[in-house]
Amino acid sequence: MSDTVLASAVSFPAPETPSFQPLYQQIKGLLTQRLESGEWRPGEAIPSEQDLAGQFSVSQGTVRKAIDELASENIVVRRQGKGTFVATHTETKSSNFRFLRLRRNDGQYEYPASELLDVKRGRVNADIARSLDIKPGDAILILRRLLRYSGEPTLLDEITLPANLFKGLTKERFDAHVGSMYGFFETEFGVRMLRAEEQVKAVTADPITAEALRVGMGSPLLCVERIAYTYGDKPVEFRRGLCTTRSHHYANTLS
Amino acid sequence: MSDTVLASAVSFPAPETPSFQPLYQQIKGLLTQRLESGEWRPGEAIPSEQDLAGQFSVSQGTVRKAIDELASENIVVRRQGKGTFVATHTETKSSNFRFLRLRRNDGQYEYPASELLDVKRGRVNADIARSLDIKPGDAILILRRLLRYSGEPTLLDEITLPANLFKGLTKERFDAHVGSMYGFFETEFGVRMLRAEEQVKAVTADPITAEALRVGMGSPLLCVERIAYTYGDKPVEFRRGLCTTRSHHYANTLS
DNA sequence: CAGTGGTCTAGACCACATC
DNA sequence: ATGTGGTCTAGACCACTGG
């Protein structure tokens, strides 16, 4: 097969290379660029391994190893016999619990009902600006949202988004969507959440939160702060949630 | 190379196999058995990929894929140019933080000082028996331990162990060891912790805990319950920790 | 049936560690 | 120089999906 334009971007490992980077890592980088550019939309199939091997003028095994890593990072999903697909938050699979660590105390999974309380526009303060890697005073959106499990208000969170990435987000538009919030961000604004860091603390309920969650004032709550990242480890969401552990807990696996 | 006894345990994929299991999975199973049996001790090297390929009469690539999975599960560690080694909790690497999710609020890692308060013998209650998959009333050991960060008492936990796996564990012997607790379990009792599940809740400090952690009575604390597993997903530790989030937090990555 | 990902092989060569 | 894990290739064949 003849060389393609894209193949020229690949350099074979040269001994004189100061810091060696394997071919499959370079392929992975090129694929990531094309994914990020939106060349293939979430849910769509990317070209077959054979096809990509031809495009990049490498063997199938090398493309395979590149895709393996993308799959292990949940950026892409492999389906035997069908193809490799751009991962999406829209699938109503249990994989939705990847970003929702709340479980019932009996260990069962349970879908909460989500109620968006309000959407406000504002300017970001210094702390959150640092978390989002933007300038203090930049325009932001603040969503407040309540999660109920079996009708019981359980989690109250405040979600801060950089306004420039979510132009046109309104309460009406949010309420019109179905499925997860990250699915909404993905299909409506092209922002894909790939990874997040959370910090969990114990706090006491302030009066307003106590009322919203129907707990006594001063009750202990989990305070979960999250920074979510998209391609290139760019932070695009800051979130602070306050959560009763009356009948649920924060679950985590150490491995 | 001639066939070995072990090679006979490997069956090539047969079409009539009801549920297909790839060769490398079978190899992985055999390696896991040999690891579990103690054929190679923690920290030791296992045979080279070429060697194992010969033993099992398969190609190096197939052994490689088996070892890849063991490495991704932290059961084994690869070191280019040196070999593949049985993973250990004894290494004073930062990888010790794999099972310790407490971070300073500024994000920095910090080694706490650990003080074992006491070791008691007792009988297990129904709840913890279920967690440890043993019978209620079975003999157990209970360790109580305090972690201090920069001198500040921060985490108080109570660790329940099945007595039959930790024969001869005493406070004196524990105090004599250096390094992490899981390293101690591994080298002294041959119990390797491979994986753990944690449940985090918010609670209020009882009087005794409040005094130990130097917080006001009724202060909010994190309650972290852990079940740790060894080979074959066998639970071998139950732990309940109470933790101030005065200057630290529970850190987690969602990916 | 054809097309896709998944497995397996055999062999070459590279990067790294040690002697 | 030797031995280890790491990369890459080319090709064969298997398992799964869908027309």
Side-chain angles (χ1 to χ4, degrees), chain B residues 15-37:
Chain B
E16 65 271 19
T17 308
S19 64
F20 168 71
Q21 193 188 27
L23 236 194
Y24 75 87
Q25 287 284 7
Q26 301 177 43
I27 303 291
K28 182 187 171 190
L30 293 173
L31 288 174
T32 302
Q33 279 178 25
R34 294 171 72 177
L35 283 162
E36 188 172 357
S37 79

Side-chain angles (χ1 to χ4, degrees), chain A residues 109-121:
Chain A
Y109 290 62
E110 179 184 356
Y111 274 101
S114 169
E115 178 190 357
L116 184 64
L117 303 177
D118 52 47
V119 176
K120 288 178 183 161
R121 273 140 221 296

Side-chain angles (χ1 to χ4, degrees), chain A residues 24 46 57 104 183 192:
Chain A
Y24 75 88
I46 71 174
S57 300
R104 271 166 45 177
R192 293 184 65 195

Side-chain angles (χ1 to χ4, degrees), chain B residues 170-230:
Chain B
T170 61
K171 183 170 190 308
E172 293 67 37
R173 209 164 144 202
F174 187 98
D175 287 339
H177 96 284
V178 290
S180 76
M181 186 160 77
Y182 282 177
F184 173 67
F185 291 168
E186 178 178 276
T187 59
E188 298 292 316
F189 304 96
V191 179
R192 294 185 65 195
M193 304 298 187
L194 300 180
R195 195 177 69 78
E197 303 273 358
E198 293 196 328
Q199 300 191 351
V200 184
K201 298 185 145 209
V203 300
T204 50
D206 63 280
I208 293 166
T209 306
E211 192 189 342
L213 297 180
R214 310 239 185 95
V215 297
M217 216 191 89
S219 294
L221 298 176
L222 286 187
C223 171
V224 181
E225 290 189 354
R226 170 190 299 185
I227 303 174
Y229 301 85
T230 186

